Amino acid sequence: MWNTLIAILTIFDFGFCETVYHVIGSAVTFSCNDDRDVVWKGPYDGGTIYSEGNHINENLATNLSSRLFIIGNVLKLVNLQLTDTGLYECFGDIKMKNPVKNFDLSFPALLSSSTPSYYRYMMLDADSQKLVIGYMNHVDILDISDHPVIPIQSKSYYFKPIQTNLGYCILSKPEVPYCQNHIKFITKTKDDILFVCGTNADAPKGFEINTTSGVTTYGSGDKFTAVPCSNDPFHNFTAIYIKHQNFSKEDDIYYGSTLHSESTIQRPIFGTNDYMKGVISNKWMKDPQFVGSFDVEHRVFFFFRETAVDVPPNEYKVYSRIAKVCKRIALFTLL
């Protein structure tokens, strides 16, 4: 199991600081460097005694005591968890006020920012052991292999909105965050090609990333580059890249979005670069917020919630819905 959190163990010993890296779920070993059986204190319950003279405290939580091992002056903790963060101290005996050694175990987030970054999409590529993250004007690719190089370095791609689209957008909307390029969808179309869709300052645009060469392209001519996602960065949007059982026997993208107040589910028209839209009407879908889309044999299912129209005018209700789209015939159905 891969995690995007890295355990950083900082050891303080007579002014000397050593940093040791661990992945959550692995094990860590603390050595007191004292010949005697020592007392270990840890962060559980505000700094309680973990063990004394090779005997583990029986009052520790079961989840902790089952992962804790004491061998002489060594403490070993397996299956590291976020709750393990904090200060570990060893003492020569229980009467000592100053520890022989301190260990500060922390689990900071891998990515951090002092300003809002508007993270919108995350894709895990198990084949290449990469995590691809889309946010405002950026796509980051992180190595999450079983043996990552520490500290982890992300490969970042910058996609600012096209200048002409930005100029039009700021006439009616705030430049930040609305008139930026919020990445709403990422998919892998080839071993080294990522297709990405962004809001592009209120004028959605598709583009590609060649992860081998590092070349990025707006409107590369690929049939997917015309696919729009929601123009509003705060609208929920769903898309799915499907390789199998399409009528044309080619791969295609199905998606549900709200584009400039028109909400619809769209399916590719095979043999063209165009898309067939579902019914654009409040009687079919009213203010839908798309949750997800799933490929099931010859159908694609879209999950969303919408404002109910089949209730009295003075009532307001939100219903969960499922839409079924057939791959081989022109059929849209609400279930």
Side-chain angles (χ1 to χ4, degrees):
M1 180 178 68
W2 300 315
N3 298 273
T4 60
L5 297 176
I6 301 299
I8 300 180
L9 172 61
T10 304
I11 303 175
F12 299 93
D13 185 16
F14 304 107
F16 176 72
C17 179
E18 178 184 355
T19 302
V20 181
Y21 298 94
H22 290 275
V23 177
I24 287 181
S26 63
V28 65
T29 300
F30 303 135
S31 178
C32 194
N33 294 336
D34 195 297
D35 294 333
R36 297 166 293 179
D37 293 337
V38 299
V39 175
W40 284 99
K41 289 185 179 182
Y44 173 72
D45 199 20
T48 191
I49 293 177
Y50 276 32
S51 71
E52 181 181 359
N54 277 332
H55 297 287
I56 295 176
N57 186 348
E58 296 180 354
N59 295 321
L60 295 177
T62 302
N63 178 50
L64 175 59
S65 61
S66 63
R67 299 184 293 110
L68 182 65
F69 300 91
I70 303 294
I71 305 174
N73 61 354
V74 174
L75 179 151
K76 183 174 182 179
L77 194 59
V78 301
N79 190 20
L80 287 175
Q81 301 175 13
L82 280 175
T83 52
D84 298 327
T85 186
L87 186 66
Y88 293 78
E89 302 172 300
C90 68
F91 298 82
D93 60 64
I94 199 168
K95 296 180 180 179
M96 290 182 63
K97 293 184 178 180
N98 298 319
V100 176
K101 209 165 188 181
N102 295 335
F103 303 85
D104 187 18
L105 183 64
S106 63
F107 299 87
L110 179 64
L111 299 176
S112 61
S113 175
S114 59
T115 58
S117 297
Y118 301 97
Y119 290 92
R120 298 296 182 202
Y121 200 87
M122 182 171 64
M123 185 196 77
L124 178 64
D125 182 5
D127 293 334
S128 64
Q129 298 187 355
K130 305 290 186 183
L131 182 68
V132 186
I133 302 173
Y135 53 110
M136 188 173 70
N137 300 327
H138 290 84
V139 172
D140 285 350
I141 302 179
L142 312 173
D143 179 11
I144 53 169
S145 63
D146 290 332
H147 303 285
V149 177
I150 304 298
I152 289 179
Q153 298 293 326
S154 64
K155 183 178 291 185
S156 187
Y157 298 89
Y158 181 48
F159 294 99
K160 63 181 180 180
I162 296 174
Q163 189 61 40
T164 53
N165 299 120
L166 175 62
Y168 282 114
C169 182
I170 61 177
L171 294 176
S172 58
K173 296 182 178 181
E175 184 170 356
V176 179
Y178 288 93
C179 296
Q180 298 300 309
N181 191 19
H182 294 261
I183 306 305
K184 301 294 290 291
F185 178 63
I186 305 169
T187 192
K188 182 179 178 182
T189 57
K190 296 179 183 177
D191 288 343
D192 58 352
I193 299 294
L194 296 176
F195 170 75
V196 181
C197 190
T199 58
N200 185 42
D202 209 34
K205 186 74 174 177
F207 47 94
E208 290 181 347
I209 300 173
N210 187 314
T211 57
T212 300
S213 65
V215 174
T216 59
T217 310
Y218 274 101
S220 65
D222 188 279
K223 62 182 177 180
F224 300 137
T225 56
V227 175
C229 49
S230 300
N231 63 295
D232 189 324
F234 299 101
H235 265 140
N236 290 321
F237 160 84
T238 184
I240 183 169
Y241 178 60
I242 297 177
K243 297 184 178 181
H244 306 291
Q245 298 182 327
N246 293 319
F247 181 77
S248 64
K249 298 182 180 180
E250 297 180 357
D251 45 1
D252 272 301
I253 294 177
Y254 296 66
Y255 62 97
S257 69
T258 299
L259 183 62
H260 299 294
S261 76
E262 290 188 352
S263 299
T264 187
I265 293 172
Q266 304 203 40
R267 192 198 77 171
I269 299 176
F270 305 116
T272 74
N273 289 347
D274 296 325
Y275 274 76
M276 185 179 108
K277 297 181 180 181
V279 180
I280 301 176
S281 169
N282 283 339
K283 295 182 179 179
W284 192 64
M285 289 190 304
K286 181 175 175 58
D287 303 324
Q289 294 293 322
F290 293 97
V291 176
S293 45
F294 301 89
D295 179 15
V296 182
E297 296 181 346
H298 298 290
R299 303 172 182 85
V300 182
F301 291 91
F302 290 83
F303 288 72
F304 61 96
R305 58 185 183 273
E306 66 165 340
T307 304
V309 296
D310 50 351
V311 297
N314 61 336
E315 292 186 22
Y316 176 81
K317 291 184 178 181
V318 176
Y319 288 162
S320 296
R321 304 285 197 192
I322 304 175
K324 178 180 67 176
V325 178
C326 294
K327 297 179 183 178
R328 296 183 176 273
I329 59 175
L331 178 63
F332 295 82
T333 307
L334 288 182
L335 305 180

